[in-house]
Amino acid sequence: MLKESRFVEMFGDPLSPQNKWAKIQLGSVTEVGSSKRIFEKEYVNNGVPFYRTKEIVELASGKEITTELFISEDRYKEIKELYGVPQKGDLLISAVGTIGTIWVVDGKHDFYFKDGNLLRVKHTEKYNPLYLKYLLEQLIAMHKNRMASGTAYAALTISELSKMNIFDVPLEVQNRFEVFIKQLDKLKVILEKIDEKFELLKKSRFVEMFGDLLKDDTFPLVKFSECTNSMVKGPFGSDMKKDLYVPKGEDTYKVYAQINAIQKDETLGEYYISKDYFDKKIYRFEVKPKDFIITCDGTLGKVLQLDEKMEKGVISSSLLKVTINEEKLSPVFFETLWSDIMLPHMVHQARNACLVHLPSAKVIGEFEFHLPDLNKQVQFESFIKQLDKLKVDMVSKLLQLV
Protein backbone atom coordinates (compact mmCIF):
# COMPACT_ATOMS: atom_id res chain seq x y z
CA MET A 1 0.00 0.00 0.00
CA LEU A 2 2.87 2.41 0.75
CA LYS A 3 4.30 1.89 -2.72
CA GLU A 4 0.94 2.54 -4.36
CA SER A 5 0.18 5.60 -2.24
CA ARG A 6 3.63 7.13 -2.90
CA PHE A 7 3.18 6.46 -6.62
CA VAL A 8 -0.13 8.35 -6.62
CA GLU A 9 1.42 11.10 -4.50
CA MET A 10 4.25 11.59 -7.04
CA PHE A 11 2.48 10.95 -10.33
CA GLY A 12 -1.25 11.14 -9.65
CA ASP A 13 -3.86 8.44 -10.11
CA PRO A 14 -2.97 6.44 -13.27
CA LEU A 15 -6.66 5.73 -13.81
CA SER A 16 -7.78 9.36 -13.66
CA PRO A 17 -8.44 11.14 -16.97
CA GLN A 18 -7.51 14.42 -15.24
CA ASN A 19 -3.91 13.34 -14.62
CA LYS A 20 -1.46 16.18 -15.37
CA TRP A 21 1.14 14.16 -17.27
CA ALA A 22 1.07 13.74 -21.05
CA LYS A 23 0.25 10.21 -22.19
CA ILE A 24 1.97 8.12 -24.81
CA GLN A 25 1.37 4.54 -25.99
CA LEU A 26 3.82 2.02 -24.56
CA GLY A 27 4.48 0.45 -27.97
CA SER A 28 5.63 3.80 -29.39
CA VAL A 29 8.53 4.14 -26.93
CA THR A 30 9.74 0.55 -26.60
CA GLU A 31 9.41 -2.93 -28.05
CA VAL A 32 6.68 -5.24 -26.74
CA GLY A 33 6.82 -8.92 -27.67
CA SER A 34 6.88 -12.51 -26.50
CA SER A 35 9.38 -15.31 -27.10
CA LYS A 36 10.66 -17.70 -29.72
CA ARG A 37 9.01 -21.05 -29.06
CA ILE A 38 11.20 -23.79 -27.58
CA PHE A 39 10.28 -27.37 -28.47
CA GLU A 40 10.66 -30.31 -26.11
CA LYS A 41 13.19 -31.98 -28.43
CA GLU A 42 15.50 -29.00 -27.78
CA TYR A 43 15.70 -29.66 -24.02
CA VAL A 44 19.12 -30.66 -22.71
CA ASN A 45 20.31 -31.92 -19.32
CA ASN A 46 22.44 -28.88 -18.63
CA GLY A 47 23.08 -25.52 -20.23
CA VAL A 48 21.25 -22.20 -20.20
CA PRO A 49 18.02 -22.29 -18.10
CA PHE A 50 14.71 -21.22 -19.52
CA TYR A 51 11.74 -20.11 -17.47
CA ARG A 52 8.02 -20.52 -17.82
CA THR A 53 5.32 -18.26 -16.43
CA LYS A 54 5.41 -20.14 -13.13
CA GLU A 55 9.08 -19.34 -12.52
CA ILE A 56 8.68 -15.68 -13.48
CA VAL A 57 5.76 -15.28 -11.06
CA GLU A 58 7.94 -16.76 -8.30
CA LEU A 59 10.82 -14.44 -9.15
CA ALA A 60 8.43 -11.47 -9.05
CA SER A 61 7.40 -12.45 -5.52
CA GLY A 62 11.04 -12.39 -4.37
CA LYS A 63 11.54 -16.16 -4.23
CA GLU A 64 14.77 -17.92 -5.15
CA ILE A 65 14.00 -20.47 -7.84
CA THR A 66 15.61 -23.39 -9.59
CA THR A 67 14.64 -24.92 -12.90
CA GLU A 68 15.44 -28.27 -14.47
CA LEU A 69 14.72 -27.00 -17.98
CA PHE A 70 17.70 -26.08 -20.15
CA ILE A 71 18.68 -25.36 -23.74
CA SER A 72 22.18 -25.71 -25.11
CA GLU A 73 24.51 -22.71 -25.06
CA ASP A 74 24.77 -22.85 -28.86
CA ARG A 75 20.95 -22.71 -29.20
CA TYR A 76 20.84 -19.83 -26.71
CA LYS A 77 23.41 -17.86 -28.70
CA GLU A 78 21.46 -18.49 -31.89
CA ILE A 79 18.20 -17.27 -30.34
CA LYS A 80 19.98 -14.28 -28.81
CA GLU A 81 21.36 -13.23 -32.19
CA LEU A 82 18.15 -13.79 -34.16
CA TYR A 83 15.41 -12.80 -31.70
CA GLY A 84 17.03 -11.28 -28.64
CA VAL A 85 16.84 -12.45 -25.02
CA PRO A 86 15.84 -10.67 -21.80
CA GLN A 87 18.34 -8.08 -20.62
CA LYS A 88 18.70 -6.20 -17.33
CA GLY A 89 15.83 -3.74 -16.94
CA ASP A 90 13.43 -5.59 -19.23
CA LEU A 91 9.97 -6.36 -17.83
CA LEU A 92 8.53 -9.86 -18.10
CA ILE A 93 4.75 -9.89 -17.63
CA SER A 94 2.48 -12.89 -17.12
CA ALA A 95 -0.23 -12.77 -19.77
CA VAL A 96 -2.47 -15.62 -18.56
CA GLY A 97 -3.49 -16.98 -15.15
CA THR A 98 -1.91 -14.50 -12.72
CA ILE A 99 -2.21 -11.79 -15.36
CA GLY A 100 -0.14 -8.68 -14.76
CA THR A 101 2.50 -10.14 -12.44
CA ILE A 102 5.68 -8.31 -13.45
CA TRP A 103 9.34 -9.16 -12.87
CA VAL A 104 12.11 -6.66 -13.57
CA VAL A 105 14.97 -8.70 -15.08
CA ASP A 106 17.93 -8.36 -12.72
CA GLY A 107 20.67 -9.25 -15.21
CA LYS A 108 22.36 -11.64 -12.80
CA HIS A 109 22.49 -14.57 -15.23
CA ASP A 110 21.70 -15.72 -18.74
CA PHE A 111 18.29 -17.28 -19.28
CA TYR A 112 15.51 -17.54 -21.79
CA PHE A 113 11.74 -17.52 -21.33
CA LYS A 114 9.88 -20.34 -22.98
CA ASP A 115 6.25 -19.60 -23.66
CA GLY A 116 3.94 -17.04 -25.21
CA ASN A 117 2.20 -16.70 -21.86
CA LEU A 118 4.92 -14.20 -20.96
CA LEU A 119 5.26 -10.79 -22.58
CA ARG A 120 8.50 -8.84 -22.69
CA VAL A 121 8.74 -5.06 -22.50
CA LYS A 122 12.21 -4.09 -23.63
CA HIS A 123 14.16 -1.69 -21.42
CA THR A 124 14.51 1.83 -22.73
CA GLU A 125 16.78 4.49 -21.24
CA LYS A 126 13.86 6.92 -21.14
CA TYR A 127 11.95 4.90 -18.53
CA ASN A 128 13.00 3.62 -15.12
CA PRO A 129 12.06 -0.10 -14.91
CA LEU A 130 10.62 0.14 -11.37
CA TYR A 131 8.52 3.18 -12.26
CA LEU A 132 7.23 1.43 -15.38
CA LYS A 133 6.51 -1.78 -13.43
CA TYR A 134 4.23 -0.07 -10.89
CA LEU A 135 2.49 1.98 -13.56
CA LEU A 136 1.78 -1.06 -15.77
CA GLU A 137 0.54 -3.13 -12.82
CA GLN A 138 -2.22 -0.59 -12.25
CA LEU A 139 -3.03 -0.15 -15.95
CA ILE A 140 -3.22 -3.92 -16.50
CA ALA A 141 -5.47 -4.33 -13.43
CA MET A 142 -7.83 -1.69 -14.86
CA HIS A 143 -7.71 -3.40 -18.27
CA LYS A 144 -8.60 -6.77 -16.73
CA ASN A 145 -11.57 -5.31 -14.86
CA ARG A 146 -12.87 -3.60 -17.98
CA MET A 147 -12.51 -6.65 -20.23
CA ALA A 148 -13.64 -9.38 -17.82
CA SER A 149 -17.27 -8.21 -17.46
CA GLY A 150 -17.96 -10.89 -14.87
CA THR A 151 -16.48 -13.75 -16.90
CA ALA A 152 -13.14 -15.52 -16.79
CA TYR A 153 -10.48 -13.25 -18.27
CA ALA A 154 -8.55 -15.09 -20.99
CA ALA A 155 -5.25 -13.33 -21.68
CA LEU A 156 -3.35 -10.09 -22.14
CA THR A 157 -2.15 -9.68 -25.74
CA ILE A 158 0.88 -7.90 -27.20
CA SER A 159 -1.45 -5.51 -29.02
CA GLU A 160 -3.40 -4.61 -25.86
CA LEU A 161 -0.23 -4.03 -23.85
CA SER A 162 1.37 -1.95 -26.64
CA LYS A 163 -1.66 0.36 -26.80
CA MET A 164 -1.69 1.16 -23.06
CA ASN A 165 -1.11 4.85 -22.38
CA ILE A 166 1.79 5.52 -20.03
CA PHE A 167 2.82 8.84 -18.47
CA ASP A 168 5.58 10.81 -20.19
CA VAL A 169 7.38 11.70 -16.95
CA PRO A 170 10.95 13.10 -16.74
CA LEU A 171 13.47 10.38 -15.93
CA GLU A 172 14.82 12.21 -12.86
CA VAL A 173 11.31 12.14 -11.33
CA GLN A 174 10.98 8.41 -12.08
CA ASN A 175 14.36 7.80 -10.45
CA ARG A 176 13.19 9.42 -7.23
CA PHE A 177 10.44 6.81 -7.07
CA GLU A 178 13.05 4.05 -7.44
CA VAL A 179 15.02 5.49 -4.51
CA PHE A 180 11.87 5.35 -2.37
CA ILE A 181 11.16 1.73 -3.41
CA LYS A 182 14.69 0.62 -2.51
CA GLN A 183 14.48 2.36 0.87
CA LEU A 184 11.15 0.64 1.48
CA ASP A 185 12.63 -2.77 0.58
CA LYS A 186 15.44 -2.25 3.11
CA LEU A 187 12.87 -1.24 5.69
CA LYS A 188 10.88 -4.40 4.95
CA VAL A 189 13.88 -6.54 5.92
CA ILE A 190 14.23 -4.59 9.18
CA LEU A 191 10.52 -4.98 9.94
CA GLU A 192 10.68 -8.73 9.33
CA LYS A 193 13.49 -9.00 11.89
CA ILE A 194 11.49 -6.89 14.35
CA ASP A 195 8.50 -9.24 13.87
CA GLU A 196 10.71 -12.26 14.57
CA LYS A 197 12.01 -10.71 17.80
CA PHE A 198 8.53 -9.79 18.99
CA GLU A 199 7.21 -13.28 18.25
CA LEU A 200 10.05 -14.77 20.28
CA LEU A 201 9.17 -12.42 23.17
CA LYS A 202 5.52 -13.49 23.05
CA LYS A 203 6.39 -17.18 23.04
CA SER A 204 8.93 -16.89 25.85
CA ARG A 205 6.48 -14.95 28.05
CA PHE A 206 3.79 -17.55 27.36
CA VAL A 207 6.08 -20.37 28.51
CA GLU A 208 7.30 -18.31 31.45
CA MET A 209 3.74 -17.71 32.68
CA PHE A 210 2.08 -21.02 31.85
CA GLY A 211 4.74 -23.68 31.35
CA ASP A 212 3.86 -26.74 29.25
CA LEU A 213 0.06 -26.79 29.01
CA LEU A 214 0.07 -30.31 27.59
CA LYS A 215 2.04 -31.87 30.47
CA ASP A 216 2.19 -29.51 33.45
CA ASP A 217 -0.69 -30.31 35.84
CA THR A 218 -0.46 -26.98 37.70
CA PHE A 219 -3.75 -26.08 36.03
CA PRO A 220 -6.88 -28.23 35.58
CA LEU A 221 -7.14 -30.49 32.52
CA VAL A 222 -9.98 -29.58 30.13
CA LYS A 223 -11.19 -30.36 26.64
CA PHE A 224 -11.17 -27.49 24.17
CA SER A 225 -14.92 -27.95 23.57
CA GLU A 226 -15.49 -27.04 27.25
CA CYS A 227 -14.02 -23.58 26.51
CA THR A 228 -16.18 -22.73 23.49
CA ASN A 229 -19.79 -21.74 22.96
CA SER A 230 -19.81 -23.11 19.43
CA MET A 231 -17.49 -24.52 16.78
CA VAL A 232 -18.68 -25.05 13.22
CA LYS A 233 -16.93 -25.96 9.98
CA GLY A 234 -18.10 -24.27 6.79
CA PRO A 235 -20.86 -25.61 4.53
CA PHE A 236 -20.35 -28.18 1.78
CA GLY A 237 -18.81 -26.70 -1.34
CA SER A 238 -21.99 -27.47 -3.29
CA ASP A 239 -23.91 -25.24 -0.88
CA MET A 240 -21.65 -22.26 -1.60
CA LYS A 241 -21.13 -22.34 -5.37
CA LYS A 242 -20.29 -19.13 -7.18
CA ASP A 243 -23.53 -19.20 -9.14
CA LEU A 244 -25.32 -18.62 -5.80
CA TYR A 245 -23.54 -15.32 -5.26
CA VAL A 246 -25.42 -12.04 -5.70
CA PRO A 247 -24.43 -8.36 -5.87
CA LYS A 248 -23.92 -6.66 -2.51
CA GLY A 249 -27.09 -5.11 -1.10
CA GLU A 250 -28.75 -4.08 2.16
CA ASP A 251 -29.98 -7.60 2.95
CA THR A 252 -27.06 -9.62 1.61
CA TYR A 253 -24.56 -11.62 3.67
CA LYS A 254 -20.84 -11.53 2.97
CA VAL A 255 -19.06 -14.84 2.40
CA TYR A 256 -15.86 -14.78 4.48
CA ALA A 257 -13.05 -16.83 2.92
CA GLN A 258 -9.56 -18.05 3.75
CA ILE A 259 -7.95 -14.87 2.45
CA ASN A 260 -9.54 -12.92 5.31
CA ALA A 261 -7.73 -15.01 7.92
CA ILE A 262 -4.51 -15.34 5.92
CA GLN A 263 -4.24 -11.58 5.35
CA LYS A 264 -5.81 -10.76 8.74
CA ASP A 265 -8.20 -8.40 6.98
CA GLU A 266 -11.95 -8.89 7.26
CA THR A 267 -12.65 -6.26 4.58
CA LEU A 268 -11.29 -8.41 1.74
CA GLY A 269 -13.67 -10.30 -0.52
CA GLU A 270 -16.65 -9.39 -2.70
CA TYR A 271 -18.86 -12.49 -2.59
CA TYR A 272 -22.36 -12.28 -1.11
CA ILE A 273 -25.43 -14.48 -0.74
CA SER A 274 -29.04 -13.38 -0.55
CA LYS A 275 -31.01 -13.18 2.70
CA ASP A 276 -33.44 -15.70 1.26
CA TYR A 277 -30.68 -18.27 0.69
CA PHE A 278 -29.20 -17.47 4.10
CA ASP A 279 -32.55 -18.10 5.82
CA LYS A 280 -33.22 -21.32 3.91
CA LYS A 281 -29.83 -23.00 3.89
CA ILE A 282 -26.83 -21.24 5.44
CA TYR A 283 -28.02 -19.60 8.67
CA ARG A 284 -26.09 -21.98 10.94
CA PHE A 285 -22.80 -20.78 9.38
CA GLU A 286 -23.35 -17.15 10.36
CA VAL A 287 -20.43 -15.30 11.97
CA LYS A 288 -20.70 -12.43 14.41
CA PRO A 289 -18.34 -9.95 16.09
CA LYS A 290 -15.73 -11.63 18.34
CA ASP A 291 -16.01 -14.93 16.45
CA PHE A 292 -12.74 -16.45 15.23
CA ILE A 293 -12.38 -17.74 11.70
CA ILE A 294 -9.64 -20.31 11.02
CA THR A 295 -8.38 -21.61 7.67
CA CYS A 296 -9.02 -25.34 7.10
CA ASP A 297 -7.44 -26.13 3.73
CA GLY A 298 -4.05 -25.53 2.16
CA THR A 299 -2.63 -22.72 4.29
CA LEU A 300 -3.79 -24.25 7.56
CA GLY A 301 -4.61 -22.71 10.89
CA LYS A 302 -4.43 -18.99 10.12
CA VAL A 303 -6.72 -17.23 12.55
CA LEU A 304 -8.59 -13.92 12.67
CA GLN A 305 -11.00 -12.52 15.24
CA LEU A 306 -13.80 -10.51 13.62
CA ASP A 307 -14.44 -7.08 15.14
CA GLU A 308 -17.51 -4.95 15.73
CA LYS A 309 -17.19 -3.27 12.32
CA MET A 310 -17.49 -6.54 10.38
CA GLU A 311 -20.13 -6.97 7.69
CA LYS A 312 -22.80 -9.50 8.58
CA GLY A 313 -21.87 -12.74 6.92
CA VAL A 314 -21.21 -16.46 6.82
CA ILE A 315 -18.12 -18.65 6.51
CA SER A 316 -17.09 -20.38 3.30
CA SER A 317 -16.54 -24.14 3.10
CA SER A 318 -12.81 -23.71 3.83
CA LEU A 319 -13.18 -22.04 7.23
CA LEU A 320 -13.79 -23.08 10.82
CA LYS A 321 -15.80 -20.74 13.04
CA VAL A 322 -14.98 -20.73 16.76
CA THR A 323 -16.91 -18.78 19.38
CA ILE A 324 -14.92 -18.95 22.59
CA ASN A 325 -16.40 -18.79 26.10
CA GLU A 326 -14.76 -15.60 27.37
CA GLU A 327 -15.38 -16.67 30.96
CA LYS A 328 -12.81 -19.40 30.34
CA LEU A 329 -10.56 -18.10 27.55
CA SER A 330 -9.25 -14.63 26.79
CA PRO A 331 -9.05 -13.90 23.03
CA VAL A 332 -5.30 -13.20 22.95
CA PHE A 333 -4.53 -16.27 25.06
CA PHE A 334 -6.64 -18.39 22.70
CA GLU A 335 -4.79 -17.15 19.59
CA THR A 336 -1.45 -18.13 21.14
CA LEU A 337 -2.84 -21.43 22.43
CA TRP A 338 -4.12 -22.23 18.96
CA SER A 339 -1.04 -21.18 16.96
CA ASP A 340 1.69 -22.45 19.29
CA ILE A 341 0.13 -25.52 20.88
CA MET A 342 -3.05 -26.82 19.27
CA LEU A 343 -2.12 -26.54 15.59
CA PRO A 344 1.44 -27.98 15.99
CA HIS A 345 -0.06 -30.85 18.02
CA MET A 346 -2.48 -31.66 15.19
CA VAL A 347 0.35 -31.67 12.67
CA HIS A 348 2.37 -33.97 14.93
CA GLN A 349 -0.60 -36.29 15.39
CA ALA A 350 -0.74 -36.60 11.60
CA ARG A 351 2.53 -38.55 11.99
CA ASN A 352 4.54 -35.65 10.59
CA ALA A 353 2.80 -36.04 7.25
CA CYS A 354 1.68 -33.07 5.22
CA LEU A 355 -1.55 -32.05 6.92
CA VAL A 356 -3.79 -30.95 4.04
CA HIS A 357 -7.03 -30.33 5.97
CA LEU A 358 -7.80 -29.50 9.57
CA PRO A 359 -9.46 -32.31 11.54
CA SER A 360 -13.22 -32.15 12.13
CA ALA A 361 -14.66 -29.74 14.68
CA LYS A 362 -15.44 -32.76 16.87
CA VAL A 363 -11.81 -33.92 16.86
CA ILE A 364 -10.56 -30.39 17.57
CA GLY A 365 -13.04 -30.15 20.44
CA GLU A 366 -11.52 -33.29 22.02
CA PHE A 367 -8.11 -31.62 22.31
CA GLU A 368 -7.02 -31.61 25.96
CA PHE A 369 -4.81 -29.07 27.70
CA HIS A 370 -4.28 -27.57 31.14
CA LEU A 371 -6.31 -24.37 31.45
CA PRO A 372 -4.79 -21.42 33.41
CA ASP A 373 -7.20 -19.26 35.38
CA LEU A 374 -8.69 -16.30 33.55
CA ASN A 375 -6.89 -13.64 35.61
CA LYS A 376 -3.53 -15.03 34.55
CA GLN A 377 -4.66 -15.15 30.92
CA VAL A 378 -5.69 -11.48 31.15
CA GLN A 379 -2.24 -10.60 32.50
CA PHE A 380 -0.72 -12.27 29.45
CA GLU A 381 -3.14 -10.39 27.18
CA SER A 382 -2.13 -7.09 28.78
CA PHE A 383 1.54 -7.86 28.12
CA ILE A 384 0.84 -8.70 24.47
CA LYS A 385 -1.14 -5.50 23.93
CA GLN A 386 1.72 -3.45 25.39
CA LEU A 387 4.13 -5.29 23.12
CA ASP A 388 1.95 -4.67 20.08
CA LYS A 389 1.71 -0.96 20.92
CA LEU A 390 5.49 -0.79 21.21
CA LYS A 391 5.86 -2.46 17.82
CA VAL A 392 3.39 -0.05 16.20
CA ASP A 393 5.33 2.91 17.64
CA MET A 394 8.62 1.50 16.31
CA VAL A 395 7.20 0.87 12.86
CA SER A 396 5.66 4.35 12.74
CA LYS A 397 9.02 5.97 13.54
CA LEU A 398 10.81 3.84 10.94
CA LEU A 399 8.28 4.74 8.25
CA GLN A 400 8.99 8.41 8.86
CA LEU A 401 12.53 7.79 7.61
CA VAL A 402 11.44 6.89 4.06
Side-chain angles (χ1 to χ4, degrees), residues 316-347:
S316 68
S317 57
S318 56
L319 288 176
L320 170 73
K321 179 193 78 165
V322 176
T323 308
I324 62 171
N325 181 343
E326 292 195 19
E327 293 182 0
K328 294 188 176 181
L329 288 178
S330 86
V332 172
F333 174 83
F334 164 64
E335 287 194 48
T336 307
L337 172 73
W338 171 263
S339 299
D340 292 355
I341 298 178
M342 294 181 67
L343 183 61
H345 178 77
M346 291 170 202
V347 173

Side-chain angles (χ1 to χ4, degrees), residues 124-241:
T124 169
E125 296 298 328
K126 189 177 179 181
Y127 286 92
N128 182 295
L130 277 176
Y131 159 79
L132 199 55
K133 171 185 185 301
Y134 284 99
L135 175 58
L136 288 176
E137 282 177 342
Q138 296 174 77
L139 294 177
I140 292 170
M142 177 184 68
H143 181 74
K144 282 167 58 179
N145 291 337
R146 185 173 65 241
M147 297 297 291
S149 299
T151 62
Y153 187 78
L156 175 68
T157 67
I158 293 174
S159 175
E160 289 165 342
L161 184 59
S162 298
K163 291 176 182 177
M164 288 185 180
N165 288 316
I166 60 174
F167 299 154
D168 193 17
V169 176
L171 185 59
E172 60 269 22
V173 181
Q174 300 176 39
N175 290 340
R176 289 203 296 270
F177 180 70
E178 180 183 18
V179 170
F180 169 76
I181 293 299
K182 289 183 175 178
Q183 289 176 331
L184 207 57
D185 288 341
K186 290 179 182 178
L187 178 59
K188 182 180 177 183
V189 174
I190 295 172
L191 293 177
E192 286 172 352
K193 291 180 179 178
I194 289 174
D195 270 339
E196 290 174 6
K197 295 293 184 184
F198 274 74
E199 284 304 311
L200 284 174
L201 276 172
K202 289 179 181 180
K203 290 179 179 181
S204 62
R205 176 54 67 94
F206 189 90
V207 173
E208 177 187 317
M209 292 185 67
F210 307 117
D212 187 342
L213 294 183
L214 297 182
K215 298 178 180 178
D216 192 340
D217 60 3
T218 305
F219 309 112
L221 185 68
V222 298
K223 290 183 178 180
F224 181 61
S225 59
E226 298 173 36
C227 305
T228 65
N229 292 331
S230 72
M231 187 162 36
V232 179
K233 264 199 169 184
F236 291 115
S238 59
D239 289 335
M240 198 64 81
K241 295 183 294 186

Side-chain angles (χ1 to χ4, degrees), residues 287-303:
V287 281
K288 295 181 178 180
K290 295 190 176 183
D291 282 347
F292 287 90
I293 56 174
I294 300 174
T295 58
C296 295
D297 302 313
T299 305
L300 294 181
K302 297 299 181 182
V303 60

Side-chain angles (χ1 to χ4, degrees), residues 50-62:
F50 63 83
Y51 299 149
R52 299 156 298 181
T53 305
K54 181 182 77 169
E55 284 87 23
I56 296 303
V57 168
E58 289 179 349
L59 283 166
S61 69

